[in-house]
Amino acid sequence: MPDTHIRLSLTDPMTVLSVSDDIEAMLGYQADELLTGKVSLKSRIHTGDQELAGVLFSPSLDQSSGSFNLRLRQASERILCVRLHYSKVTDASGITLELRLEDVRGLEPEKGAETVRADFSAMMENTDDYIYFKDRHHVFTAASQTLAALAGISGHWTGLIGKTAYDVFPEDYADRYHELEKQMLAGVPVEHVILELRDKNGEMGWFDNRICPTQDDKGAITGLFGTIRDITAYKLAENELRIAATVESQESMMITDADCTILRVNHAFTESTGYTAEEAVGQTPSLLKSGRHDAEFYRAMWESINSTGTWRGEIWDRRKNGKVAPDMLTISAVKSGDVVTHYVGTHVDITERKAAEEEIKHLAFYDQLTGLPNRRLLLDRIRHALAFSARSGTGGALLFIDLDNFRTLNETLGHNVGDLLLQQVAKRLETCVRRSDSVARLGGDEFVVMLEGLSEQTLEAAAQTKIVGDKILASLNQSYRLALHDYRSTPSIGAVLFDDHQQSMDELLKQADIAMYQAKQNGRNTLRFFDPQMQEAVNARAALEDELGKALEKQQFRLFYQVQMDSARRPLGAEALIRWLHPERGMVFPAEFIPLAEETGLIVSIGQWVLETACAQLGEWQKAEHTRELVLSVNVSSQQFRQPDFVEQVLSVVQRHTINPARLKLELTESLLLDNIEDTIANMNALKKIGIMFSMDDFGTGYSSLQYLKRLPLDQIKIDQSFVRDIATDSNDSAIVHTIIAMAKSLKMGIIAEGVETAQQRQVILDNGCTHYQGYLFGKPMPIAEFDALLQKV
């Protein structure tokens, strides 16, 4: 009888692709019955040869060709012994198996079975793959020699027969495999699964597992056939590539194992720390420990790494030369499945950034000539002192000090000599007070001393203040050596007591100033306390508060608009500025009523009116092509921003007027950073999601912004007009503006200067890299009609 040829697909197992016509003579079936799947070739293989067929028809068959004896069941149910010759072919269409069936009628069935078993045993001994057969009870019935070796069987693979996975593999591995096999025995298909197995030497390995059922002639599942491929080398190579790609970064990096032992560092690490790779590898990251962080710092760090897989923050590291420097450190856990295998640490030296922050802080809050706190920092300290006094009940005092005849000194001996006097006065004042007190220079020859923690009794607090005042008088009356000149100077001192939070900072300074002028009127070189009766007892505050409460209801508020332009004098947008059109007082500017509105809480409803009116105007601008792209800035007070439903209010207004939220910019002040910073950031992010922009108004006049600035989702920083006013003549203001612009650019924030009134100011700011401006040079705040007319001209 001629040989029969069959071609099978291994990509789609057991699918017959072609069969020669003489199949009918051999098995009693027509070719179409096999091609259409009406008759399954696998179902015609003798039950005793199913295991051998399973190996042959597996995609993992590693031998490209071979032959063995096989028993087939004919259509008549008679057993036919054949010699099966196979050849595996891999091409673009997939993996196919070419079969040639040779009739070996001379072999008796039992003899054929012995031959088949011999062929099967030879295949199990010579294959490189891990192959096994199990019965329905998860007991090994056959296995390759390689699997027996992996399982720790020293002899022939038959030593694995009768055992389960629990007898030869670690329990966790056996558990996972047992669950996969249970699914397959229950008829649930299982895709290939990658499992990890640690050998007897503790080395981790990765294995790709595939399982399929074995069936009897009736299709009932009789057991399992599985193949396991060792992919450890591939996984290790993959991991090496990932680590290698990471470690070549230009940032300073280190790679550790799961026990935090350093495995590798890059060139940038050696450059920044001074440690060579040889010195670092084998150590732990504590090699860089500076000692500046406590146990709680590291506990929080590892809590973040263990829960989220990463940590990022500032840390002080010690270099090899002993220098301690600030770094921005990012730690990421590298995992294989759920198991951490490595940690990657990225260090960025932020010494220059920290220095810039300190420089800005010093320029903004300290007098450059004397090194004393300036007016901005003094006001902040007074604010805190008033709050402390209200909580504790203790008293405090301000001493306003003015040097007598200082102008004469400048005019006769020159400003350089005058500066020397100011510097020596500053040092003497600091020696006259406690460390808990404050000495500040307001400007010129004016100084302020703030005393805290005085007696709760007014008379006793006054006596304590007089002691310090007399000490200052005695010290400043001593002779000065100014360059080549001996000089005597006297001060006039005004004092005011504070003991509760009802007094504002401006009131206290004004009262101390009045008292100081009384000292001058009384012959100079003396100390005088403020007498409330020295002021006229006209209190317009109550009347103003009453009228302010009715102004919104009577529609007395108006919005004025001040244009914002770029360096080419192209309009970018405007800032909406509120004005109070009082029927008797006339035009009332914000500086006169906004502080009162904030103190009384009216600022919330006024702010809501401003937002509503501004968005209505944006809606009108959107209808015209020449105003459609304008951005409108709206000031938002800290009280308004902290309203629980502020985000919902803004979203509602935006939807009600159907405006493009990207054309609305909310200007915030630095006072928002004093409390609840996390809530502030959350509200800003919620509004940023729909496109609303944020600008930090009056930047540089606050005290608490620097540490939070990098965390805020700001689009723009507005340089305060107090820095712009004298920028062309004051080197301190110029230095502050230059530093703010450089910092804003490094943080990828926009920047605009307000209060630009002269072309010289604009040019200095432009030379420093700022191209957006607002101020009288471009247009004053004006009603909407005048603003529209201005837009038509540019």
Side-chain angles (χ1 to χ4, degrees):
M1 178 183 295
D3 295 343
T4 298
H5 296 268
I6 301 175
R7 185 161 64 92
L8 300 175
S9 169
L10 291 185
T11 305
D12 186 9
M14 295 301 294
T15 298
V16 179
L17 301 176
S18 65
V19 61
S20 59
D21 292 335
D22 48 22
I23 188 68
E24 185 173 0
M26 178 172 283
L27 293 181
Y29 293 106
Q30 294 182 359
D32 287 344
E33 291 181 280
L34 290 171
L35 289 171
T36 60
K38 183 177 180 181
V39 175
S40 168
L41 178 62
K42 184 177 181 181
S43 69
R44 308 319 297 166
I45 299 174
H46 190 282
T47 304
D49 294 346
Q50 286 284 344
E51 292 182 350
L52 178 59
V55 175
L56 174 64
F57 300 140
S58 169
S60 64
L61 179 67
D62 61 321
Q63 295 175 332
S64 60
S65 63
S67 62
F68 53 84
N69 293 329
L70 188 70
R71 292 170 293 175
L72 299 177
R73 191 178 300 276
Q74 296 177 314
S76 64
E77 298 301 323
R78 291 191 61 183
I79 301 299
L80 174 68
C81 293
V82 299
R83 185 68 177 176
L84 187 147
H85 305 272
Y86 68 89
S87 177
K88 186 168 72 170
V89 178
T90 302
D91 54 25
S93 64
I95 304 174
T96 60
L97 199 62
E98 302 285 351
L99 305 180
R100 179 168 60 87
L101 304 181
E102 179 185 358
D103 189 356
V104 286
R105 298 292 177 94
L107 288 174
E108 295 297 328
E110 287 306 315
K111 185 177 180 182
E114 294 176 3
T115 304
V116 168
R117 286 193 290 270
D119 289 336
F120 177 77
S121 181
M123 182 174 290
M124 290 295 99
E125 293 174 4
N126 296 316
T127 182
D128 292 329
D129 283 340
Y130 303 110
I131 299 173
Y132 70 86
F133 292 89
K134 288 185 177 182
D135 61 20
R136 290 188 60 85
H137 305 293
H138 305 274
V139 175
F140 287 103
T141 59
S144 64
Q145 190 65 42
T146 51
L147 182 65
L150 180 67
I153 303 298
S154 58
H156 193 264
W157 62 266
T158 52
L160 199 54
I161 295 176
K163 299 182 184 296
T164 69
Y166 288 98
D167 296 320
V168 292
F169 291 117
E171 183 174 340
D172 60 338
Y173 180 81
D175 280 340
R176 287 179 289 169
Y177 220 96
H178 190 81
E179 289 302 316
L180 295 175
E181 292 176 340
K182 279 175 62 178
Q183 294 181 50
M184 184 59 69
L185 289 171
V188 179
V190 178
E191 294 291 335
H192 75 95
V193 178
I194 295 177
L195 297 177
E196 299 169 2
L197 174 63
R198 194 177 296 276
D199 65 18
K200 60 185 180 182
N201 296 321
E203 297 294 329
M204 182 65 74
W206 288 265
F207 298 89
D208 186 358
N209 304 268
R210 300 171 187 268
I211 310 172
C212 63
T214 58
Q215 300 171 320
D216 60 18
D217 295 344
K218 297 180 181 179
I221 297 177
T222 60
L224 298 166
F225 165 65
T227 62
I228 304 174
R229 186 176 294 273
D230 187 345
I231 60 170
T232 301
Y234 166 77
K235 294 291 287 187
L236 291 176
E238 180 185 65
N239 197 42
E240 281 293 315
L241 286 174
R242 186 170 73 251
I243 293 176
T246 302
V247 83
E248 291 307 317
S249 167
Q250 295 302 308
E251 298 175 336
S252 173
M253 303 188 73
M254 70 165 65
I255 309 293
T256 77
D257 61 16
D259 296 323
C260 294
T261 300
I262 299 174
L263 303 177
R264 186 178 301 182
V265 296
N266 65 355
H267 180 70
F269 176 91
T270 63
E271 287 291 319
S272 64
T273 67
Y275 289 102
T276 65
E278 291 76 13
E279 292 171 326
V281 171
Q283 301 287 334
T284 65
S286 61
L287 178 71
L288 306 177
K289 199 169 184 179
S290 66
R292 291 197 179 188
H293 304 287
D294 57 18
E296 175 60 24
F297 174 85
Y298 292 105
R299 186 203 62 76
M301 172 194 291
W302 280 105
E303 181 179 350
S304 174
I305 296 171
N306 293 332
S307 60
T308 69
T310 186
W311 180 86
R312 177 179 172 82
E314 293 183 8
I315 191 169
W316 290 88
D317 282 339
R318 186 179 300 277
R319 311 299 193 231
K320 183 180 178 181
N321 60 11
K323 177 184 177 182
V324 175
D327 285 340
M328 179 59 69
L329 171 62
T330 302
I331 302 175
S332 301
V334 179
K335 295 184 177 181
S336 176
D338 295 330
V339 180
V340 174
T341 60
H342 300 82
Y343 294 104
V344 178
T346 305
H347 301 249
V348 178
D349 192 324
I350 57 173
T351 301
E352 293 184 3
R353 195 194 79 188
K354 296 290 284 187
E357 290 178 353
E358 289 301 317
E359 181 182 0
I360 291 175
K361 179 179 177 180
H362 196 270
L363 289 172
F365 301 116
Y366 290 86
D367 174 57
Q368 300 305 296
L369 177 64
T370 64
L372 294 177
N374 61 15
R375 184 185 185 88
R376 296 187 186 96
L377 183 52
L378 173 66
L379 292 177
D380 181 77
R381 291 185 177 180
I382 293 176
R383 183 187 306 113
H384 285 87
L386 289 174
F388 177 76
S389 177
R391 291 194 306 270
S392 65
T394 58
L398 292 183
L399 299 174
F400 198 112
I401 303 165
D402 184 272
L403 302 183
D404 300 328
N405 303 314
F406 181 73
R407 178 179 297 179
T408 302
L409 172 66
N410 272 340
E411 292 174 351
T412 56
L413 297 181
H415 288 279
N416 291 339
V417 175
D419 287 348
L420 291 175
L421 175 63
L422 294 174
Q423 290 171 336
Q424 292 189 34
V425 167
K427 292 180 179 178
R428 293 188 186 187
L429 288 175
E430 288 184 308
T431 64
C432 294
V433 299
R434 302 163 301 177
R435 292 178 62 87
S436 59
D437 300 323
S438 295
V439 179
R441 181 190 175 208
L442 296 187
D445 62 331
E446 295 178 338
F447 297 84
V448 171
V449 170
M450 182 177 71
L451 307 177
E452 294 186 73
L454 302 182
S455 172
E456 300 177 11
Q457 303 300 320
T458 302
L459 291 179
E460 186 176 347
Q464 294 170 331
T465 303
K466 186 176 186 305
I467 291 174
V468 177
D470 290 343
K471 188 176 181 180
I472 291 173
L473 284 170
S475 178
L476 299 190
N477 269 269
Q478 298 297 316
S479 177
Y480 296 88
R481 182 66 178 175
L482 307 177
L484 301 177
H485 307 279
D486 289 323
Y487 183 77
R488 286 189 176 275
S489 174
T490 59
S492 295
I493 306 175
V496 62
L497 302 178
F498 61 85
D499 56 10
D500 62 67
H501 64 285
Q502 298 298 325
Q503 296 161 288
S504 70
M505 295 181 294
D506 290 338
E507 288 174 338
L508 287 174
L509 286 172
K510 183 178 180 181
Q511 291 169 358
D513 190 30
I514 291 173
M516 183 272 295
Y517 277 105
Q518 283 298 113
K520 285 189 179 292
Q521 292 174 7
N522 281 272
R524 304 177 189 271
N525 195 25
T526 189
L527 167 69
R528 285 291 181 270
F529 281 86
F530 170 74
D531 182 357
Q533 295 180 354
M534 293 171 59
Q535 291 180 295
E536 297 183 10
V538 179
N539 189 1
R541 176 185 174 89
L544 184 64
E545 180 179 342
D546 181 63
E547 293 168 358
L548 183 62
K550 300 175 183 177
L552 195 59
E553 178 184 345
K554 295 181 178 181
Q555 299 182 354
Q556 295 175 352
F557 291 120
R558 297 289 185 275
L559 280 190
F560 278 38
Y561 300 85
Q562 187 171 31
V563 70
Q564 297 176 340
M565 292 188 175
D566 64 12
S567 57
R569 301 187 77 90
R570 291 176 299 215
L572 303 170
E575 180 180 2
L577 299 166
I578 192 171
R579 297 291 186 266
W580 182 6
L581 300 183
H582 194 280
E584 297 176 0
R585 302 172 186 264
M587 179 80 74
V588 183
F589 289 90
E592 299 180 55
F593 66 87
I594 289 298
L596 180 59
E598 290 179 335
E599 291 180 24
T600 59
L602 290 171
I603 191 66
V604 175
S605 56
I606 293 175
Q608 181 63 23
W609 177 87
V610 171
L611 182 63
E612 189 81 39
T613 307
C615 288
Q617 185 58 54
L618 266 178
E620 292 298 317
W621 281 353
Q622 287 182 175
K623 299 176 183 178
E625 185 172 350
H626 73 288
T627 56
R628 187 173 299 138
E629 300 299 320
L630 294 180
V631 174
L632 187 55
S633 298
V634 177
N635 291 282
V636 177
S637 73
S638 59
Q639 288 186 45
Q640 182 183 3
F641 190 89
R642 291 196 179 103
Q643 292 298 300
D645 61 343
F646 176 72
V647 172
E648 289 73 18
Q649 290 179 19
V650 176
L651 295 177
S652 176
V653 173
V654 169
Q655 293 170 359
R656 184 159 51 251
H657 295 284
T658 62
I659 65 170
N660 180 358
R663 297 289 173 260
L664 177 62
K665 182 188 299 177
L666 302 184
E667 293 197 7
L668 311 177
T669 62
E670 296 183 43
S671 60
L672 272 173
L673 306 181
L674 295 177
D675 299 298
N676 301 322
I677 182 63
E678 299 302 332
D679 291 343
T680 298
I681 294 173
N683 283 351
M684 291 177 70
N685 283 328
L687 294 174
K688 284 279 287 184
K689 286 182 179 179
I690 68 167
I692 291 176
M693 296 188 291
F694 288 94
S695 177
M696 178 61 73
D697 195 15
D698 303 333
F699 180 74
T701 62
Y703 179 59
S704 304
S705 67
L706 293 176
Q707 58 180 318
Y708 298 116
L709 181 63
K710 61 187 177 183
R711 297 181 57 199
L712 296 176
L714 291 170
D715 299 280
Q716 184 186 70
I717 289 175
K718 177 176 277 191
I719 302 174
D720 184 61
Q721 59 183 337
S722 64
F723 297 127
V724 175
R725 185 179 301 113
D726 299 322
I727 192 172
T729 57
D730 191 321
S731 59
N732 288 337
D733 286 337
S734 180
I736 291 174
V737 169
H738 175 80
T739 306
I740 291 175
I741 292 173
M743 186 187 69
K745 289 183 176 180
S746 70
L747 295 174
K748 295 181 173 55
M749 294 181 186
I751 193 158
I752 186 171
E754 67 174 353
V756 181
E757 299 181 353
T758 68
Q760 189 177 12
Q761 290 171 340
R762 172 189 170 278
Q763 189 60 48
V764 173
I765 295 170
L766 177 61
D767 292 342
N768 278 281
C770 177
T771 58
H772 292 179
Y773 320 99
Q774 177 182 340
Y776 275 42
L777 179 63
F778 306 95
K780 65 180 182 179
M782 57 190 71
I784 188 61
E786 293 181 26
F787 185 81
D788 288 340
L790 174 66
L791 293 179
Q792 297 294 334
K793 297 177 182 179
V794 296

